[in-house]
Amino acid sequence: QVTDTLAKEGPSSPSYDWFQTDSLVTIVIYTKQKDINLDSVIVDHRDDSFRAETVIKDYSYLVHVALSHEIQEDFSVLVVENVGKIEIVLKKKENTSWKCLGHPQENHNSFIPKKDTGLFYRKCQLVSKEDVTHDTKLFCLMLPPSTHLEVPVGQHVYLRLPITGTEIVKPYTPVCDSLFSEFKEPVLPNNIYIYFLIKIYPAGFFTPELDQLQIGDYVSVSNPEGNFIISQLQELEDLFLLAAGTGFTPMVKVLNYALTNIPSLRKVKLMFFNKTEDDIIWRSQLEKLAFKDKRFEVEFVLSAPTSEWSGKQGYISPALLSEFLKRRSDTSKVLICLCGPTPFTEQGMRMLHDLNFSKDEIHSFTA
Ligand code: FAD
Ligand code: NAD
């Protein structure tokens, strides 16, 4: 239930209502917020349980009922952004009049801090798996038709598999299917595929099991998490991406989104740290993108190159960073994103502070 204390501390609580025609039932969520879009609401319909979770800042508003009548598998979700209204249109299985929407389930009509809500999972089917490098693969998962879920730019989800009788979860960051896929989110509704670039560690606990999955097998996918906020990109002029290994994954959507949706953007530079040339994810796509879009530049830095490598070498260092992070002017709006192994990210953060970049100008991706 909504508690007054919580509502006073955070944003004001949304509310919901519902109405029907002969064939449709529409659930309306009044968020009382303006910056709402299709990735703000996650809807799952399973058996007779209907669940719609709306995320508003750090809070979660839940509509959770056992529907009083059966509905068809597919439904649509619409957002009226300027008034912060979300409409979920369900199709009745039979054209009868419903007396009530359904029976309240756990936490129905609650508005609580997101950190206090457990993660909700749905089973997704493996649709395809493609080699990207010698140890990294592009996995495509399909959401069930009775789910609406769009992972916001810069956020991750948890994948869950039963391993020797125990449910194991690990975080992964969805990517686009390629660097050239037009960035339509959140404009195109009901995108049913989620892509992941995942490195398989032969001695790892989770990834060898993931790699064993056959096309058509299921893996559970959680609701999104993460503290990247898309407004960090608004009015940006220079975007610098520092990625190491699979730390490239959050950069994919950030890069695509920035190039497509931020008119003020003048330059995006990626410094991509890997052990060897064979470890570079999507190298030819990155080079093609740099050729096609003059705002984008990529530089590869290898920590264990062969003798033929004539490019930059070593780990992240103040010398590499000060040469790379040239801001256009003292006043230009800059964001530096950082992601990779923990020592990489920690050293990088320290070096950026020493180079006098402010906290607001740096975003590090962590769990
Ligand atoms: P682990 O069992 O964790 O082992 C990984 C490697 O470390 C193996 O080589 C193993 O031999 C070695 N190792 C394990 N324990 C030790 C030890 N004690 N000492 C020395 N070596 C050890 N990964 C991706 O590929 N793609 C993503 O999009 C992605 N997104 C992420 C998002 C977030 C927010 C975070 C925090 C991580 C992300 N990761 C991603 C990493 C991912 O969550 C897993 O950590 C990774 O897949 C390894 O899992 P694993 O269980 O297979 O390996
Ligand atoms: P890797 O072992 O292939 O190393 C890639 C590069 O990282 C190296 O070439 C080097 O430049 C740098 N590096 C590695 N160890 C370092 C050290 N001790 N000090 C300084 N630099 C170092 O990397 P990988 O196996 O692809 O691992 C990627 C890491 O990124 C994983 O730890 C994963 O959990 C993390 N990751 C985090 C997120 C997130 O937090 N959002 C997302 C994706 C990946």
Side-chain angles (χ1 to χ4, degrees), residues 156 170-173 197-199 201 203-208 246 249 366-367:
H156 54 269
K170 292 262 170 151
Y172 295 93
T173 316
L197 284 165
I198 298 181
K199 180 181 282 196
Y201 297 89
F205 192 47
F206 190 79
T207 48
T246 57
T249 54
T366 48

Side-chain angles (χ1 to χ4, degrees), residues 319-362:
L320 277 176
L321 293 185
S322 54
E323 188 196 329
F324 182 71
L325 301 169
K326 289 266 179 319
R327 60 199 304 163
R328 190 163 292 272
S329 73
D330 287 348
T331 53
S332 60
K333 192 175 172 201
V334 172
L335 183 69
I336 306 167
C337 295
L338 192 64
C339 189
T342 308
F344 168 89
T345 310
E346 287 178 355
Q347 289 165 28
M349 290 291 280
R350 248 177 281 132
M351 293 169 198
L352 293 173
H353 289 306
D354 292 346
L355 288 168
N356 289 327
F357 288 98
S358 70
K359 277 205 174 99
D360 292 348
E361 292 175 324
I362 306 170

Side-chain angles (χ1 to χ4, degrees), residues 230-367:
I230 201 113
S231 61
Q232 289 173 266
L233 298 172
Q234 289 313 321
E235 281 154 35
L236 202 66
E237 290 165 71
D238 293 307
L239 174 62
F240 297 105
L241 308 173
L242 305 172
T246 57
F248 172 61
T249 54
M251 310 305 177
V252 173
K253 280 197 185 188
V254 167
L255 173 66
N256 266 7
Y257 183 88
L259 287 174
T260 320
N261 294 290
I262 306 296
S264 54
L265 195 75
R266 309 234 196 113
K267 202 91 211 154
V268 185
K269 285 172 74 175
L270 167 69
M271 188 170 258
F272 195 0
F273 297 81
N274 284 280
K275 293 191 294 258
T276 70
E277 282 185 88
D278 292 345
D279 294 312
I280 303 175
I281 297 171
W282 283 353
R283 178 179 181 174
S284 71
Q285 286 198 42
L286 286 164
E287 287 170 339
K288 273 189 203 138
L289 184 64
F291 182 75
K292 199 175 138 235
D293 191 326
K294 292 298 166 217
R295 294 171 301 169
F296 178 65
E297 276 175 32
V298 58
E299 182 138 34
F300 302 110
V301 183
L302 301 183
S303 58
T306 59
S307 53
E308 283 105 75
W309 177 251
S310 58
K312 293 214 155 55
Q313 302 193 9
Y315 274 3
I316 192 165
S317 69
L320 277 176
L321 293 185
S322 54
E323 188 196 329
F324 182 71
L325 301 169
K326 289 266 179 319
R327 60 199 304 163
R328 190 163 292 272
S329 73
D330 287 348
T331 53
S332 60
K333 192 175 172 201
V334 172
L335 183 69
I336 306 167
C337 295
L338 192 64
C339 189
T342 308
F344 168 89
T345 310
E346 287 178 355
Q347 289 165 28
M349 290 291 280
R350 248 177 281 132
M351 293 169 198
L352 293 173
H353 289 306
D354 292 346
L355 288 168
N356 289 327
F357 288 98
S358 70
K359 277 205 174 99
D360 292 348
E361 292 175 324
I362 306 170
H363 182 89
S364 74
F365 290 92
T366 48

Side-chain angles (χ1 to χ4, degrees), residues 126-144:
L126 179 65
V127 174
S128 65
K129 186 172 79 171
E130 275 170 37
D131 288 342
V132 174
T133 69
H134 63 102
D135 60 2
T136 301
K137 300 185 182 186
L138 181 69
F139 288 79
C140 175
L141 301 182
M142 184 171 66
L143 289 163

